[in-house]
Amino acid sequence: MDTRKFRYENLQELYLYCYYVAGTVGLMSVPVMGIAPDSSSSAQSIYNGALNLGVGNQLTNFLRDVGEDASRGRVYLPQDKLAQFVLCDKDVFARKVTDNWREFMKEQIKRARTFFNMAEEGASQLDKDSRWPVWSSLLIYREILDAIEENDYDNLTKRAYVGRMKKYLMLPQAYNRTQSKGSLIFPY
């Protein structure tokens, strides 16, 4: 899709792209990771969680990389949602953070967090030995969204990232999540 498509008219088109490039990776990972023998969830809900984690990660990548993608002539943002906030590609290419941009970004971040929230149950129902890397990914990608907010929604000229030390400090938190069987949805 990247060789012929550089704009996405709406969320459905963007979701389809996310499904192809990241959701399928999540789906393929479930048989490798395994489902906990004592799982209280259906296999379908675990696969849905994996799909949601992949989509959430890809949406977060798009939000983190808006400025870099713009320098390549790509805009991985739903055009209809940009228009809803009186924005367009020209605003993305101008790389100026405005109040409209901040409001737009708040909505996009909220959407990505919703996918992460929906991924939690599936992550908690994987085989116990496989949960830690999945929870680590989930928590670190959420932290990227926090970093965008901390940059005052400037993902046009700044790249949000999670530093190595912060990642290391998150590992015990991720490990603690592996010990729980329930969903621990964040209050975002």
Side-chain angles (χ1 to χ4, degrees), residues 12-50:
Q12 292 78 16
E13 283 188 11
L14 190 62
Y15 175 84
L16 187 60
Y17 179 90
C18 292
Y19 172 81
Y20 288 149
V21 302
T24 55
V25 173
L27 293 173
M28 291 185 295
S29 297
V30 174
V32 175
M33 299 279 186
I35 296 174
D38 62 339
S39 174
S40 60
S41 296
S42 70
Q44 183 64 47
S45 70
I46 295 167
Y47 275 92
N48 287 343

Side-chain angles (χ1 to χ4, degrees), residues 78-106:
Q79 296 291 308
D80 62 344
K81 292 296 180 185
L82 281 168
Q84 182 181 331
F85 288 88
V86 194
L87 296 165
C88 64
D89 289 352
K90 181 179 168 186
D91 297 299
V92 175
F93 296 134
R95 298 185 185 204
K96 184 176 180 197
V97 177
T98 63
D99 288 340
N100 286 3
W101 180 259
R102 287 181 188 91
E103 292 306 312
F104 169 75
M105 285 308 303
K106 287 176 188 178

